[in-house]
Amino acid sequence: MQKQFKLTQERLCELEEELNFLKTVREKEVAEQIKEARSFGDLSENSEYDEAKNEQGKLFSRIAEIENVLIHAVIIDEESVKTDVVTLGCKVKILELASGAEDEYLIVGSQEANPMMGRVSDESPLGRAVQSRKTGEEFVVDAPSGQTRYRVVQISK
């Protein structure tokens, strides 16, 4: 079974725009680079040609990756997100019990994760540990640095 990619509607639109750009604009740019590099002569010693072909390979790889994500995308219905327990699409405010530090995260699919922007994957140690928790409930995150105890302070949309 193929992996499903959980995306917000916003992220789906971003990926569709990127795919359109890669297929229309970027593909033509790379083709032009290859054409120009070929004009330099002997391809066996032509580093510009090798570089352009490598760029083409990266481009086609990214296009295939985005197409795979779009084919297997499952849209998170943000309107139906409940706030009684932590689920995908929720904002959750948690308290680290040892330090007293509070942080707020949006629980998202792996394609949208960006911890520096407060977006935590549902597949990460924190994302897995906090899911299905209620406000006031304590939980432990097993991370490479060791175990950390948290409490759910607030769940919102």
Side-chain angles (χ1 to χ4, degrees), residues 16-27 29:
E16 288 172 341
E17 287 175 19
E18 181 182 354
L19 182 63
N20 184 45
F21 172 78
L22 293 176
K23 284 185 162 184
T24 57
V25 177
R26 189 69 184 125
E27 203 168 332
E29 291 173 349

Side-chain angles (χ1 to χ4, degrees), residues 99-155:
S99 69
E102 271 191 6
D103 288 307
E104 187 173 75
Y105 297 104
L106 177 62
I107 308 300
V108 295
S110 61
Q111 288 291 310
E112 296 183 72
N114 185 344
M116 302 307 281
M117 304 241 347
R119 299 171 77 88
V120 176
S121 168
D122 63 332
E123 298 174 9
S124 70
L126 177 62
R128 280 195 309 267
V130 74
Q131 282 196 52
S132 301
R133 305 292 179 179
K134 296 180 181 179
T135 301
E137 194 172 339
E138 293 183 6
F139 62 98
V140 176
V141 175
D142 290 319
S145 60
Q147 291 188 334
T148 307
R149 295 186 61 75
Y150 293 94
R151 178 182 301 128
V152 176
V153 176
Q154 182 182 10
I155 305 168

